[in-house]
Amino acid sequence: MAANKEIEEGIGFSPKFDAHGLITAIAQDAETGQILMVAYMNAKALDLTIKTGNAVYFSRSRQKLWKKGEESGHVQKVEQILVDCDQDCLVLKVSVDQGQCHVGYQSCFYRAVKHEKGVELEFIAEKVYDPNEAYKKK
Amino acid sequence: MAANKEIEEGIGFSPKFDAHGLITAIAQDAETGQILMVAYMNAKALDLTIKTGNAVYFSRSRQKLWKKGEESGHVQKVEQILVDCDQDCLVLKVSVDQGQCHVGYQSCFYRAVKHEKGVELEFIAEKVYDPNEAYKKK
């Protein structure tokens, strides 16, 4: 198969990392289908995720591996990893407990754009935990 | 509110475009919750999406605005736009007909990583249309 066709139609897993060595990973609740968060993985994070069965990301702000839940306790058990046609994006189907967003919501996507002017947001969810409790200063 | 807090807890829509002027946009089937594709928007694409109610992206490969469905006919009617905590990622809840992926599948995520070795994929979907028909040479 030609290279492109192989990537799109083949069974070889060839994740395409960007110039920073990262690939986008979307965590989706395996049960409800809710999109919980979007993060990034380097090759090491992806490898650890596959091997341990728990989501490991690469934190761009802290520039280090980030075992999801290492501070908050809100880990993600990975049920399935999907890859898209050009293999530059992953979907992780995850089992989770309450509260995947550091702001206190179940999902990072707790606001929607209001109306067609597109300047204001409305909240579409309630907080499910108190982040001040979960991220206690050590 | 402090800038960060305003972005995370406020009602002002301040989409954060990256160094290339783009923001990640995930199209999710509003009815089934299936993640259909991941693409990118520049400010103009986002503006057109909000104003027209149909998804418009920015094609990185072609470096131009891409009205989803302009060639294939498989448009995305946008029901709702969600934004995440730090406002650098969007979820578009969309109504669609059959076949959102250019390879012929309903979703771009038609393969899953097999087993814990992570080197091989398995197909988890069937094609729903023939891309050779949809993208006829003009």
Side-chain angles (χ1 to χ4, degrees), chain A residues 40-52:
Chain A
Y40 300 86
M41 288 181 173
N42 61 5
K44 179 74 181 166
L46 176 56
D47 189 51
L48 284 170
T49 298
I50 291 171
K51 283 188 179 139
T52 65

Side-chain angles (χ1 to χ4, degrees), chain A residues 71 131-138:
Chain A
E71 281 191 64
N132 293 325
E133 275 301 304
Y135 299 94
K136 275 183 177 150
K137 284 188 175 65
K138 283 169 183 171

Side-chain angles (χ1 to χ4, degrees), chain A residues 7-8 10 82-85 87, chain B residues 109-112 121-123:
Chain A
I7 286 167
E8 291 181 351
L82 310 182
V83 64
D84 71 347
C85 40
Q87 302 209 28
Chain B
F109 295 91
Y110 49 83
R111 289 171 298 181
L121 301 172
E122 61 187 334
F123 284 80

Side-chain angles (χ1 to χ4, degrees), chain A residues 60-75:
Chain A
R60 294 180 302 174
S61 56
R62 289 176 286 160
Q63 285 289 306
K64 62 170 200 163
L65 285 175
W66 162 36
K67 290 182 192 170
K68 173 69 184 157
E70 64 190 349
E71 281 191 64
S72 67
H74 300 299
V75 299

